[in-house]
Amino acid sequence: TSVLSARGLRARYGGFTALDGVDLDVPAGRVTAIVGPNGAGKSTLFHCLAGTLRPARGSVRFGSRDITRLAAHARTRLGIARTFQQLAVFPSLTVTENVRIGAEQGRVIDPGAVERALRLLGLDGPVRALPAAGLPTGTLRRVELARALAGSPRVLLLDEPAAGLDSAEVAALARVLGTLAADGTALLVVEHDLDLVAGLADVVHVMTAGRIVASGPPDRVLDAL
Ligand code: ADP
Ligand code: ADP
């Protein structure tokens, strides 16, 4: 069943149409990927789902609730978490503080959820006490993901989560996303590199020029390109 869905999304920047009627379902227990070349509209779609951009037309639903006009922070509190392409960690805070404080956003966070997130991302060792400044990119991405997970979201929106990771780190990321999907989380990954999502996603939607032009399992979609 679809947790997050979009119908007929249109978005414009001035006279330029960036989303030209996008329908999307993000089901629970699956990793859904949006791929496509630069300029296809992936970030614009991501922003419409995360609440950082209002579509000119169409709707976004969370379950049966219309959230098209709901602000980003309110979506977070409902259980729609996101990561950022540009790492958004506090450099002087420790890994644990980054995960806890980053997840709070005016909410009370279950300390157990913080611990689970740290453990799932392998951040429960000595690294948890280190300041985020100076940690390698792969570790910072894990901090970022743990922060999003510490709020126990039902939907997780991931903006290019594999960017800057080596192949071992991508494989580790795939395992984490698989674990979350198995627990029933609805995951959406936006990624320009089709090869990177091949091992991550259950369903791939290909975007070109503001539309979804192909959808299916990664092997079938890859073959068709
Ligand atoms: P993608 O994430 O697939 O690279 P984007 O959603 O970032 O695509 O952009 C889609 C199109 O909209 C591109 O042509 C981009 O240049 C344009 N665009 C994105 N943001 C803006 C903006 N703030 N103002 C004007 N044009 C924009
Ligand atoms: P991202 O797609 O992750 O936001 P980009 O580097 O593509 O990263 O864009 C950075 C910022 O510039 C975004 O806020 C985006 O909306 C904006 N932007 C992208 N393309 C254009 C454009 N053609 N004109 C104006 N702003 C743009």
Side-chain angles (χ1 to χ4, degrees):
T1 55
S2 178
V3 180
L4 189 66
S5 60
R7 290 292 176 270
L9 281 191
R10 287 177 183 273
R12 308 185 129 255
Y13 299 108
F16 179 81
T17 300
L19 289 183
D20 192 11
V22 169
D23 296 336
L24 177 71
D25 287 301
V26 185
R30 294 278 183 279
V31 182
T32 302
I34 306 289
V35 300
N38 279 330
K42 303 182 299 297
S43 290
T44 302
L45 175 58
F46 188 95
H47 287 305
C48 288
L49 298 175
T52 39
L53 182 72
R54 291 279 157 79
R57 289 216 199 144
S59 63
V60 179
R61 284 182 175 273
F62 179 62
S64 60
R65 178 170 176 175
D66 189 327
I67 59 165
T68 314
R69 259 152 255 293
L70 202 62
H73 61 90
R75 294 188 198 200
T76 306
R77 283 199 295 272
L78 276 185
I80 303 170
R82 65 164 294 182
T83 60
F84 293 84
Q85 202 177 332
Q86 302 233 302
L87 290 167
V89 295
F90 301 106
S92 62
L93 299 184
T94 67
V95 164
T96 303
E97 288 165 344
N98 263 288
V99 171
R100 181 172 50 78
I101 292 167
E104 278 171 353
Q105 309 213 14
R107 299 178 287 179
V108 176
I109 294 293
D110 169 16
V114 173
E115 286 305 314
R116 274 196 301 281
L118 289 168
R119 216 178 312 126
L120 184 63
L121 276 302
L123 298 170
D124 52 338
V127 68
R128 67 185 296 150
L130 296 179
L135 292 174
T137 302
T139 307
L140 291 175
R141 292 221 169 269
R142 285 188 282 147
V143 173
E144 164 94 353
L145 190 49
R147 180 192 60 79
L149 290 176
S152 309
R154 289 184 57 207
V155 179
L156 180 57
L157 308 173
L158 299 140
D159 194 358
E160 306 218 351
L165 302 187
D166 64 30
S167 59
E169 288 169 335
V170 173
L173 173 67
R175 284 195 296 276
V176 170
L177 299 191
T179 301
L180 294 171
D183 284 347
T185 309
L187 296 120
L188 181 80
V189 176
V190 169
E191 175 60 61
H192 67 271
D193 187 336
L194 230 174
D195 290 332
L196 276 181
V197 301
L200 295 182
D202 299 305
V203 182
V204 174
H205 301 285
V206 182
M207 278 191 85
T208 306
R211 294 169 178 265
I212 291 176
V213 296
S215 301
D219 48 353
R220 195 154 57 75
V221 169
L222 274 165
D223 284 352
L225 289 181

